[in-house]
Amino acid sequence: SGFLITTHLLQRLERSGHVGFADFYARRARRILPASLLVVVLSVIAALIWMPPLLMREVFFGAVATAFYVPNILFGLQGTNYLAESTPSLFQHYWSLGIEEQFYLLWPLILFLAVRFFPGRRRLLAILVVLTTASFIAGVWMTFQNQPWAFFGLPTRAWELAVGGIVAVLALNRESVLPPR
């Protein structure tokens, strides 16, 4: 995802000089929202049929968080242990989609600002490497400080998508970023 989206964004930046934020977000919404929201609605209906009424408050909280693409934040606040043997949230599998959508709220802006104020592929690559490294270090550090936030937090997981962005920068114009050797 990081590779694909970064490739598209950088190609558009090269062609037109801008990201086209409205178009970018509209395309993402058209592609992801219908199926995602259908699963949320069907999951709530199934929960109403098969789950005990005392659990429905948790289901509704999870459904709302999921509909707004912030279930990972809800799970972080709840101190969820993803690998625990307890009964998981009905929407626990949405944590990674929440992180991805939060990442793509910021990533186009980061790329736009980096290209605009620090022109050149090497500078862009350096900025992405610094951001990716900072996110990775935050993830390692948070693993020992607060495991749920290390697992569910955007700052600690962004490096995974950003690595794809680094590969995209390298792949789009290898000659101007890396020496031939």
Side-chain angles (χ1 to χ4, degrees), residues 12-34:
R12 181 157 183 171
L13 272 167
E14 285 177 354
R15 278 194 316 269
S16 65
H18 60 85
V19 170
F21 291 102
D23 182 52
F24 173 77
Y25 295 121
R27 279 184 291 146
R28 285 199 68 78
R30 282 192 305 269
R31 191 174 77 242
I32 294 172
L33 274 177

mmCIF file of all heavy atoms in Angstrom, residues 12-34:
data_model
loop_
_atom_site.group_PDB
_atom_site.id
_atom_site.type_symbol
_atom_site.label_atom_id
_atom_site.label_comp_id
_atom_site.label_asym_id
_atom_site.label_seq_id
_atom_site.Cartn_x
_atom_site.Cartn_y
_atom_site.Cartn_z
ATOM 1 N N ARG A 12 1.828 12.023 -9.786
ATOM 2 C CA ARG A 12 0.912 13.156 -9.963
ATOM 3 C C ARG A 12 1.605 14.472 -9.624
ATOM 4 O O ARG A 12 1.421 15.476 -10.311
ATOM 5 C CB ARG A 12 -0.328 12.977 -9.106
ATOM 6 C CG ARG A 12 -1.286 14.117 -9.299
ATOM 7 C CD ARG A 12 -2.666 13.772 -8.947
ATOM 8 N NE ARG A 12 -3.520 14.914 -9.247
ATOM 9 C CZ ARG A 12 -4.800 14.875 -9.200
ATOM 10 N NH1 ARG A 12 -5.405 13.764 -8.871
ATOM 11 N NH2 ARG A 12 -5.511 15.942 -9.470
ATOM 12 N N LEU A 13 2.409 14.466 -8.561
ATOM 13 C CA LEU A 13 3.163 15.674 -8.201
ATOM 14 C C LEU A 13 4.101 16.089 -9.333
ATOM 15 O O LEU A 13 4.238 17.278 -9.620
ATOM 16 C CB LEU A 13 3.963 15.436 -6.923
ATOM 17 C CG LEU A 13 3.248 15.731 -5.620
ATOM 18 C CD1 LEU A 13 4.018 15.149 -4.437
ATOM 19 C CD2 LEU A 13 3.065 17.227 -5.443
ATOM 20 N N GLU A 14 4.738 15.119 -9.968
ATOM 21 C CA GLU A 14 5.648 15.430 -11.078
ATOM 22 C C GLU A 14 4.890 15.985 -12.283
ATOM 23 O O GLU A 14 5.366 16.893 -12.946
ATOM 24 C CB GLU A 14 6.426 14.180 -11.481
ATOM 25 C CG GLU A 14 7.514 13.807 -10.509
ATOM 26 C CD GLU A 14 8.225 12.519 -10.904
ATOM 27 O OE1 GLU A 14 7.797 11.843 -11.868
ATOM 28 O OE2 GLU A 14 9.209 12.173 -10.227
ATOM 29 N N ARG A 15 3.732 15.411 -12.574
ATOM 30 C CA ARG A 15 2.957 15.846 -13.740
ATOM 31 C C ARG A 15 2.329 17.215 -13.542
ATOM 32 O O ARG A 15 2.378 18.062 -14.426
ATOM 33 C CB ARG A 15 1.839 14.846 -14.044
ATOM 34 C CG ARG A 15 2.246 13.639 -14.822
ATOM 35 C CD ARG A 15 1.040 12.879 -15.367
ATOM 36 N NE ARG A 15 -0.045 12.724 -14.413
ATOM 37 C CZ ARG A 15 -0.195 11.702 -13.575
ATOM 38 N NH1 ARG A 15 0.680 10.731 -13.568
ATOM 39 N NH2 ARG A 15 -1.228 11.649 -12.758
ATOM 40 N N SER A 16 1.691 17.420 -12.379
ATOM 41 C CA SER A 16 0.865 18.615 -12.215
ATOM 42 C C SER A 16 1.374 19.596 -11.162
ATOM 43 O O SER A 16 0.889 20.719 -11.095
ATOM 44 C CB SER A 16 -0.558 18.205 -11.845
ATOM 45 O OG SER A 16 -0.564 17.576 -10.578
ATOM 46 N N GLY A 17 2.300 19.147 -10.316
ATOM 47 C CA GLY A 17 2.809 20.025 -9.270
ATOM 48 C C GLY A 17 1.953 20.040 -8.019
ATOM 49 O O GLY A 17 2.241 20.771 -7.073
ATOM 50 N N HIS A 18 0.874 19.269 -8.011
ATOM 51 C CA HIS A 18 0.046 19.180 -6.802
ATOM 52 C C HIS A 18 -0.463 17.751 -6.625
ATOM 53 O O HIS A 18 -0.383 16.935 -7.529
ATOM 54 C CB HIS A 18 -1.105 20.194 -6.826
ATOM 55 C CG HIS A 18 -2.042 20.017 -7.976
ATOM 56 N ND1 HIS A 18 -3.092 19.127 -7.949
ATOM 57 C CD2 HIS A 18 -2.080 20.608 -9.184
ATOM 58 C CE1 HIS A 18 -3.732 19.181 -9.095
ATOM 59 N NE2 HIS A 18 -3.141 20.071 -9.874
ATOM 60 N N VAL A 19 -0.980 17.478 -5.434
ATOM 61 C CA VAL A 19 -1.446 16.127 -5.099
ATOM 62 C C VAL A 19 -2.875 15.911 -5.555
ATOM 63 O O VAL A 19 -3.239 14.804 -5.927
ATOM 64 C CB VAL A 19 -1.332 15.895 -3.566
ATOM 65 C CG1 VAL A 19 -2.011 14.622 -3.140
ATOM 66 C CG2 VAL A 19 0.125 15.888 -3.138
ATOM 67 N N GLY A 20 -3.683 16.942 -5.541
ATOM 68 C CA GLY A 20 -5.109 16.766 -5.810
ATOM 69 C C GLY A 20 -5.764 16.086 -4.619
ATOM 70 O O GLY A 20 -6.290 14.988 -4.731
ATOM 71 N N PHE A 21 -5.687 16.757 -3.465
ATOM 72 C CA PHE A 21 -6.149 16.154 -2.213
ATOM 73 C C PHE A 21 -7.591 15.666 -2.304
ATOM 74 O O PHE A 21 -7.901 14.549 -1.906
ATOM 75 C CB PHE A 21 -5.991 17.143 -1.049
ATOM 76 C CG PHE A 21 -4.560 17.414 -0.694
ATOM 77 C CD1 PHE A 21 -3.949 18.591 -1.104
ATOM 78 C CD2 PHE A 21 -3.829 16.503 0.035
ATOM 79 C CE1 PHE A 21 -2.622 18.845 -0.773
ATOM 80 C CE2 PHE A 21 -2.505 16.753 0.369
ATOM 81 C CZ PHE A 21 -1.907 17.924 -0.039
ATOM 82 N N ALA A 22 -8.482 16.505 -2.813
ATOM 83 C CA ALA A 22 -9.905 16.126 -2.879
ATOM 84 C C ALA A 22 -10.086 14.880 -3.737
ATOM 85 O O ALA A 22 -10.808 13.956 -3.352
ATOM 86 C CB ALA A 22 -10.732 17.285 -3.424
ATOM 87 N N ASP A 23 -9.426 14.833 -4.874
ATOM 88 C CA ASP A 23 -9.524 13.674 -5.761
ATOM 89 C C ASP A 23 -8.936 12.425 -5.095
ATOM 90 O O ASP A 23 -9.514 11.345 -5.172
ATOM 91 C CB ASP A 23 -8.809 13.973 -7.079
ATOM 92 C CG ASP A 23 -8.908 12.824 -8.062
ATOM 93 O OD1 ASP A 23 -10.039 12.354 -8.310
ATOM 94 O OD2 ASP A 23 -7.852 12.382 -8.566
ATOM 95 N N PHE A 24 -7.799 12.594 -4.438
ATOM 96 C CA PHE A 24 -7.154 11.468 -3.758
ATOM 97 C C PHE A 24 -8.073 10.866 -2.709
ATOM 98 O O PHE A 24 -8.297 9.660 -2.664
ATOM 99 C CB PHE A 24 -5.837 11.925 -3.116
ATOM 100 C CG PHE A 24 -5.194 10.881 -2.257
ATOM 101 C CD1 PHE A 24 -4.500 9.817 -2.825
ATOM 102 C CD2 PHE A 24 -5.287 10.936 -0.867
ATOM 103 C CE1 PHE A 24 -3.913 8.839 -2.033
ATOM 104 C CE2 PHE A 24 -4.704 9.966 -0.069
ATOM 105 C CZ PHE A 24 -4.011 8.916 -0.655
ATOM 106 N N TYR A 25 -8.636 11.718 -1.843
ATOM 107 C CA TYR A 25 -9.493 11.224 -0.771
ATOM 108 C C TYR A 25 -10.817 10.681 -1.312
ATOM 109 O O TYR A 25 -11.354 9.704 -0.790
ATOM 110 C CB TYR A 25 -9.720 12.303 0.286
ATOM 111 C CG TYR A 25 -8.436 12.663 1.000
ATOM 112 C CD1 TYR A 25 -7.949 13.957 0.987
ATOM 113 C CD2 TYR A 25 -7.701 11.689 1.662
ATOM 114 C CE1 TYR A 25 -6.755 14.285 1.622
ATOM 115 C CE2 TYR A 25 -6.503 12.012 2.300
ATOM 116 C CZ TYR A 25 -6.046 13.305 2.274
ATOM 117 O OH TYR A 25 -4.866 13.615 2.898
ATOM 118 N N ALA A 26 -11.335 11.296 -2.358
ATOM 119 C CA ALA A 26 -12.584 10.794 -2.958
ATOM 120 C C ALA A 26 -12.377 9.400 -3.546
ATOM 121 O O ALA A 26 -13.232 8.523 -3.384
ATOM 122 C CB ALA A 26 -13.075 11.767 -4.030
ATOM 123 N N ARG A 27 -11.261 9.187 -4.220
ATOM 124 C CA ARG A 27 -10.977 7.849 -4.778
ATOM 125 C C ARG A 27 -10.846 6.806 -3.681
ATOM 126 O O ARG A 27 -11.347 5.693 -3.803
ATOM 127 C CB ARG A 27 -9.717 7.873 -5.640
ATOM 128 C CG ARG A 27 -9.977 8.390 -7.041
ATOM 129 C CD ARG A 27 -8.740 8.320 -7.903
ATOM 130 N NE ARG A 27 -7.803 9.315 -7.357
ATOM 131 C CZ ARG A 27 -6.491 9.194 -7.339
ATOM 132 N NH1 ARG A 27 -5.917 8.144 -7.860
ATOM 133 N NH2 ARG A 27 -5.730 10.130 -6.831
ATOM 134 N N ARG A 28 -10.154 7.160 -2.596
ATOM 135 C CA ARG A 28 -10.017 6.219 -1.469
ATOM 136 C C ARG A 28 -11.378 5.902 -0.876
ATOM 137 O O ARG A 28 -11.679 4.753 -0.570
ATOM 138 C CB ARG A 28 -9.082 6.778 -0.393
ATOM 139 C CG ARG A 28 -7.627 6.694 -0.804
ATOM 140 C CD ARG A 28 -6.673 6.786 0.343
ATOM 141 N NE ARG A 28 -6.688 5.668 1.257
ATOM 142 C CZ ARG A 28 -6.112 4.487 1.044
ATOM 143 N NH1 ARG A 28 -5.500 4.243 -0.093
ATOM 144 N NH2 ARG A 28 -6.155 3.545 1.957
ATOM 145 N N ALA A 29 -12.197 6.913 -0.698
ATOM 146 C CA ALA A 29 -13.532 6.701 -0.114
ATOM 147 C C ALA A 29 -14.381 5.810 -1.017
ATOM 148 O O ALA A 29 -15.035 4.875 -0.530
ATOM 149 C CB ALA A 29 -14.222 8.044 0.115
ATOM 150 N N ARG A 30 -14.349 6.060 -2.316
ATOM 151 C CA ARG A 30 -15.136 5.232 -3.239
ATOM 152 C C ARG A 30 -14.667 3.786 -3.251
ATOM 153 O O ARG A 30 -15.468 2.870 -3.419
ATOM 154 C CB ARG A 30 -15.062 5.808 -4.657
ATOM 155 C CG ARG A 30 -15.959 7.001 -4.881
ATOM 156 C CD ARG A 30 -16.082 7.348 -6.358
ATOM 157 N NE ARG A 30 -14.804 7.558 -7.021
ATOM 158 C CZ ARG A 30 -14.185 8.729 -7.129
ATOM 159 N NH1 ARG A 30 -14.732 9.804 -6.601
ATOM 160 N NH2 ARG A 30 -13.037 8.840 -7.753
ATOM 161 N N ARG A 31 -13.381 3.593 -3.074
ATOM 162 C CA ARG A 31 -12.841 2.243 -3.137
ATOM 163 C C ARG A 31 -13.025 1.471 -1.832
ATOM 164 O O ARG A 31 -13.309 0.286 -1.845
ATOM 165 C CB ARG A 31 -11.351 2.291 -3.519
ATOM 166 C CG ARG A 31 -10.799 0.914 -3.850
ATOM 167 C CD ARG A 31 -9.375 0.960 -4.358
ATOM 168 N NE ARG A 31 -8.460 1.152 -3.247
ATOM 169 C CZ ARG A 31 -7.646 2.191 -3.090
ATOM 170 N NH1 ARG A 31 -7.639 3.146 -3.977
ATOM 171 N NH2 ARG A 31 -6.839 2.272 -2.080
ATOM 172 N N ILE A 32 -12.905 2.134 -0.701
ATOM 173 C CA ILE A 32 -12.859 1.419 0.571
ATOM 174 C C ILE A 32 -14.161 1.511 1.368
ATOM 175 O O ILE A 32 -14.587 0.535 1.978
ATOM 176 C CB ILE A 32 -11.675 1.936 1.408
ATOM 177 C CG1 ILE A 32 -10.380 1.553 0.706
ATOM 178 C CG2 ILE A 32 -11.699 1.379 2.819
ATOM 179 C CD1 ILE A 32 -9.145 2.150 1.301
ATOM 180 N N LEU A 33 -14.790 2.677 1.394
ATOM 181 C CA LEU A 33 -15.956 2.889 2.258
ATOM 182 C C LEU A 33 -17.123 1.927 2.015
ATOM 183 O O LEU A 33 -17.660 1.387 2.985
ATOM 184 C CB LEU A 33 -16.453 4.326 2.144
ATOM 185 C CG LEU A 33 -15.784 5.342 3.042
ATOM 186 C CD1 LEU A 33 -16.335 6.742 2.766
ATOM 187 C CD2 LEU A 33 -15.943 5.002 4.499
ATOM 188 N N PRO A 34 -17.561 1.706 0.788
ATOM 189 C CA PRO A 34 -18.747 0.855 0.627
ATOM 190 C C PRO A 34 -18.599 -0.543 1.244
ATOM 191 O O PRO A 34 -19.447 -0.962 2.032
ATOM 192 C CB PRO A 34 -18.936 0.770 -0.897
ATOM 193 C CG PRO A 34 -18.286 2.009 -1.420
ATOM 194 C CD PRO A 34 -17.113 2.258 -0.506
#
